[in-house]
Amino acid sequence: MGAGALAACGVSIAQTPTTRIIVGATPGGGTDTVARVLAAEIGNRLGETFVVDNRPGAGGNIAAQEVARSTNDGRTLLMCYTSHAINATLYPKLPFDSVKDFTPISHVANAPSFLLAHPSVPARDMTELIALAKTRPGELSIALPGIGSAGHLCAEVIKLQTGVDMLSVPYKGTAPAMNDLLGGQINLMFAGAALAKGQLAAKSVKALGVSSAQRMVGFESIPPIADTLPGYDFSAWYGLLGPAGMNATRTERLSQVTAEILGDPSIKERLLGEGLISVGGSPQDFQRFVETEISNWGKIVQASGASAG
């Protein structure tokens, strides 16, 4: 008997509500990739329908605002990324509280970046780059893939820690910045492994260091920037949030199944191919992480003078 016939007979057909994972970025990037992997896997394991809803704009704030204002039934979630922590201080005023208006679910993945240089730059590593920049103040150019982005602030930290003067060139995203790096219009930029690996393999660019404190799997020949600048340890990251006041049972179940997915060797390998390191962890762990990130990035935003206001 078809659904229409059942309905005509007065038989109720239970339908599982669809859960949306809101993504504050366009399709195809790291945030979207992580969200789509999780949407498919969580849906399969829970027997529910999960879909990705892209709402780009304002550095992720449009998506975050929608989730903050949504019903707290656990059917509207946010795949947030590093900007969620940066924006807390980058923007003079936000229409939501980056901590209080959300329920933490899981820290999903980290994404270290490489400091890339055009082959014409006469430096083989960070030590040589810093020495070069000091002898040529204001001459070396470094791309800023979005004001207040992790790539922007990672560059600012290098300038703050070393006192070097480099020309900052703002771009609307990493793709146009990479095009200019390949063409030699700029000298340096930060980029994640997914974007950098092909260019590194083709030797179109060279990597002077990785932003994480440890070497990255698959790129072990690239030393951490921290080897030259002690304490330097920055990675983009992705996490799952819901609106404030979500049901604890729903929150814990989503966190547990996310951890199971991220612990699956095939999923870990798939994400690693995109330059993403699986994390997982409890809602409490993610809450502490977000609060720490807001504090740490806030200090850099203040020191650099960056502002979206």
Side-chain angles (χ1 to χ4, degrees), residues 24-37:
T26 55
T31 317
D32 182 71
T33 297
V34 173
R36 292 185 186 278
V37 169

Side-chain angles (χ1 to χ4, degrees), residues 176-198:
M178 178 61 80
N179 288 337
D180 276 5
L181 179 67
L182 294 174
Q185 284 79 34
I186 58 169
N187 302 125
L188 304 158
M189 73 173 286
F190 275 96
L195 181 62
K197 61 183 178 181

Side-chain angles (χ1 to χ4, degrees), residues 147-162:
I147 298 299
S149 65
H152 171 193
L153 296 181
C154 281
E156 291 297 329
V157 173
I158 290 177
K159 292 194 284 184
L160 288 167
Q161 283 193 247
T162 63

Side-chain angles (χ1 to χ4, degrees), residues 100 134 307:
K100 294 178 181 178
K134 287 183 176 179
S307 175

Side-chain angles (χ1 to χ4, degrees), residues 120-255:
S120 63
V121 175
R124 294 168 295 180
D125 54 33
M126 287 300 301
T127 300
E128 292 186 1
L129 175 68
I130 293 166
L132 178 67
K134 287 183 176 179
T135 61
R136 293 164 53 180
E139 292 185 27
L140 292 178
S141 57
I142 185 163
L144 308 182
I147 298 299
S149 65
H152 171 193
L153 296 181
C154 281
E156 291 297 329
V157 173
I158 290 177
K159 292 194 284 184
L160 288 167
Q161 283 193 247
T162 63
V164 298
D165 178 16
M166 292 189 288
L167 176 64
S168 298
V169 183
Y171 284 84
K172 293 182 178 180
T174 54
M178 178 61 80
N179 288 337
D180 276 5
L181 179 67
L182 294 174
Q185 284 79 34
I186 58 169
N187 302 125
L188 304 158
M189 73 173 286
F190 275 96
L195 181 62
K197 61 183 178 181
Q199 307 302 340
L200 288 170
K203 297 186 178 179
S204 303
V205 298
K206 56 186 175 182
L208 304 182
V210 64
S211 65
S212 56
Q214 294 80 35
R215 293 177 188 246
M216 190 171 178
V217 175
F219 300 90
E220 287 84 359
S221 64
I222 303 173
I225 293 172
D227 285 0
T228 304
L229 302 179
Y232 193 101
D233 183 13
F234 301 96
S235 290
W237 54 265
Y238 306 92
L240 201 58
L241 296 171
M246 260 180 62
N247 176 275
T249 301
R250 175 73 172 169
T251 300
E252 288 294 339
R253 184 67 186 113
L254 287 172
S255 180

Side-chain angles (χ1 to χ4, degrees), residues 12-77:
S12 175
I13 304 173
Q15 291 186 335
T16 302
T18 296
T19 297
R20 292 186 302 151
I21 300 181
I22 310 293
V23 174
T26 55
T31 317
D32 182 71
T33 297
V34 173
R36 292 185 186 278
V37 169
L38 281 188
E41 292 294 329
I42 295 175
N44 288 338
R45 296 181 188 225
L46 295 184
E48 300 178 12
T49 301
F50 279 69
V51 298
V52 173
D53 186 354
N54 297 88
R55 300 294 177 93
N61 289 336
I62 292 174
Q65 181 176 347
E66 179 166 350
V67 173
R69 293 179 176 179
S70 67
T71 304
N72 59 3
D73 58 3
R75 299 296 173 184
T76 304
L77 308 175

